[in-house]
Amino acid sequence: MGYTALPTKNPGDILTSALWNTYLQGNADSGFMRMLADTTLGGAAAQIDFASIPATFAHLMLILYPRGDAAAVSTGLIARFNGDAGANYDWQLMQGQAAVASAAEGIAATGIFSTAVPAASAVGNAFGIYEMLIPHYTNTASFKGFTGRASSKTTNASGGITVQGWSGFWRNVAALNRITLSLASGNFAAGSRATLYGLPA
Amino acid sequence: MSDRYTLVVDLAGEEPLEVMLPLADDEMAIGMPRVDEPADGEASIGAPGADL
């Protein structure tokens, strides 16, 4: 599967079911980059769980706009695949905050972790900004993982903006069919938004 | 069961189906890492190599 080039149509040509299925349905299912799911929380939720992700695309992209409701300036984001909460993940991140650079890792962790989610004690109306790219998610020969960027704003003062580059790997070769996002403490607050895209070959 | 919820976005059908489900206690905070809040002017993302 993948992109099917669209033929030139002439006046009077009829859009048959075969043409529809090949050039419209087929390309929408796997040939074009498209949104698979988009949700904005109307109330607090402990997890955002994308289940039964279709296996028709080459890659996935996830964009997240989170805020937490825990009584803290910020909290951590945890991503897990296929419902696995075992110690089967490894992650690495590097961070810039004001003029300070730092880094951290997790080995044999129970999820892929980042810390750029503003929470209840952060300045009002500030949300985190996340993008995650998950390549080759349906292959069954090698580990799955992602790389991404994250940013948060927690105060209006110097050091109030955090920027992170991060990546993580799941020690499993299974095709990825589910992504579960949760926070280290508290819930995702209302207004948090998550959008999952399928990317074609 | 807790009073926390999971927003499940099920993509099995033609249209994504969103369902809010109660979160079972054993699904909560399994091995969650401790995140140390940075002091003023200090960047901290927890001890490097923190055991997640």
Side-chain angles (χ1 to χ4, degrees):
Chain A
M1 288 176 284
Y3 174 68
T4 302
L6 298 170
T8 299
K9 300 298 290 179
N10 297 307
D13 287 348
I14 295 173
L15 180 60
T16 64
S17 62
L19 291 173
W20 174 281
N21 293 343
T22 298
Y23 298 112
L24 296 179
Q25 185 186 53
N27 275 328
D29 283 346
S30 62
F32 298 146
M33 176 179 174
R34 74 170 175 89
M35 183 270 289
L36 302 177
D38 177 38
T39 187
T40 302
L41 293 178
Q47 295 182 342
I48 299 173
D49 190 3
F50 291 107
S52 303
I53 297 170
T56 52
F57 291 89
H59 317 291
L60 296 173
M61 183 169 71
L62 179 60
I63 293 179
L64 180 65
Y65 187 71
R67 184 178 171 102
D69 68 1
V73 173
S74 65
T75 188
L77 176 73
I78 297 161
R80 295 187 173 109
F81 296 152
N82 290 17
D84 181 8
N88 301 313
Y89 302 87
D90 307 299
W91 56 265
Q92 172 72 46
L93 65 80
M94 57 183 180
Q95 172 175 295
Q97 190 176 30
V100 179
S102 57
E105 70 171 5
I107 301 298
T110 57
I112 300 170
F113 182 65
S114 161
T115 59
V117 179
S121 302
V123 64
N125 302 321
F127 284 68
I129 300 170
Y130 277 81
E131 61 178 26
M132 299 154 58
L133 183 65
I134 306 163
H136 205 19
Y137 71 104
T138 60
N139 94 80
T140 56
S142 54
F143 293 165
K144 306 302 174 297
F146 67 78
T147 185
R149 295 184 294 179
S151 182
S152 70
K153 176 179 172 62
T154 54
T155 75
N156 290 326
S158 174
I161 296 176
T162 299
V163 176
Q164 293 179 348
W166 67 315
S167 67
F169 294 86
W170 181 40
R171 301 181 191 179
N172 197 307
V173 301
L176 195 158
N177 56 31
R178 181 179 171 193
I179 301 170
T180 306
L181 304 171
S182 59
L183 298 177
S185 60
N187 298 297
F188 289 103
S192 297
R193 182 175 184 177
T195 310
L196 182 66
Y197 297 88
L199 277 62
Chain B
M1 299 290 287
S2 71
D3 58 356
R4 300 179 74 199
Y5 293 87
T6 296
L7 175 66
V8 177
V9 185
D10 192 331
L11 303 175
E14 292 184 0
E15 296 288 335
L17 177 64
E18 295 189 6
V19 184
M20 287 287 257
L21 298 175
L23 186 68
D25 289 339
D26 59 4
E27 291 182 87
M28 295 175 60
I30 301 171
M32 295 302 182
R34 175 183 174 84
V35 180
D36 297 324
E37 294 299 333
D40 290 342
E42 176 190 356
S44 172
I45 45 181
D51 183 17
L52 174 57

